[in-house]
Amino acid sequence: MPSFDVVSEVDMQEVDNALHTTQKEISTRYDFKGSKASIDRKDKEIILLAEDEYKLGQMIDLFSARLVKRGVDLKALDVGKTAAAAGGMERQVLTLKVGLETEVSKRMIKHLKDGKFKAQGSIQGDQLRVSGKSRDELQAAIATLRSEDFGLPLQFNNFRD
């Protein structure tokens, strides 16, 4: 039976490359001269520290521009709220959304059923396996999933006959 997997992945190497070029630009920019601004990554979180919200905004703009240049979809980035940090600094955490949550997978399955596709979805950890009777039916299912916005970047892997 033909099938494919729906996943949401982020190339962490490209994220690290974007992070390093952002760090380099922050260290050379005139408006960041003498500031203690920093940007670091811990697992799936990018932590920004700066003296004020304006600089945090500038850092987010720089980082997101670098991500786009490197082909990382900005839908994978969840921008958190600004919070006060030690020493009069401001902290903001950006979270990378990797993998499909169960709720999103259920919405995808419901979307396929509402579209009257002859394809079944099964949740397998942080991915969704969609199987159907024909290749054409699965390609139509991919097209309809691409057209809907689920709030994160989707990739379609392991298309098998």
Side-chain angles (χ1 to χ4, degrees):
M1 181 176 261
S3 67
F4 66 88
D5 295 334
V6 182
V7 295
S8 179
E9 297 172 339
V10 175
D11 187 354
M12 295 309 265
Q13 183 62 48
E14 293 298 339
V15 171
D16 284 341
N17 290 340
L19 189 76
H20 294 307
T21 56
T22 303
Q23 285 172 334
K24 196 178 287 185
E25 184 161 344
I26 287 170
S27 68
T28 60
R29 273 182 54 156
Y30 179 76
D31 53 343
F32 284 96
K33 237 345 152 234
S35 76
K36 299 179 212 166
S38 68
I39 180 170
D40 293 307
R41 181 174 80 87
K42 290 191 171 97
D43 294 328
K44 296 177 188 172
E45 291 185 341
I46 289 105
I47 300 152
L48 302 144
L49 279 171
E51 285 89 7
D52 53 46
E53 287 188 36
Y54 174 76
K55 286 184 179 168
L56 284 175
Q58 291 295 310
M59 290 168 65
I60 290 173
D61 290 344
L62 285 172
F63 183 59
S64 50
R66 297 294 179 274
L67 286 175
V68 168
K69 271 186 181 175
R70 298 201 164 271
V72 177
D73 196 335
L74 291 182
K75 287 182 187 177
L77 206 59
D78 187 26
V79 180
K81 290 193 167 49
T82 305
M89 302 282 277
E90 297 283 328
R91 172 184 293 137
Q92 192 160 17
V93 177
L94 310 176
T95 309
L96 293 169
K97 295 188 255 181
V98 178
L100 296 177
E101 295 175 1
T102 307
E103 287 182 27
V104 175
S105 296
K106 286 180 181 177
R107 279 191 8 229
M108 287 180 189
I109 292 171
K110 183 178 181 325
H111 186 72
L112 289 174
K113 286 185 179 181
D114 291 346
K116 307 272 191 258
F117 289 99
K118 294 181 180 116
Q120 295 79 36
S122 62
I123 300 171
Q124 298 180 337
D126 61 350
Q127 65 183 14
L128 176 71
R129 164 99 16 110
V130 179
S131 54
K133 293 187 180 200
S134 72
R135 200 177 165 102
D136 294 337
E137 195 68 35
L138 291 180
Q139 287 175 336
I142 288 174
T144 192
L145 287 174
R146 275 202 175 123
S147 67
E148 188 71 21
D149 183 24
F150 292 101
L152 43 116
L154 298 178
Q155 293 88 32
F156 303 94
N157 297 341
N158 300 333
F159 197 99
R160 296 188 199 111
D161 277 331

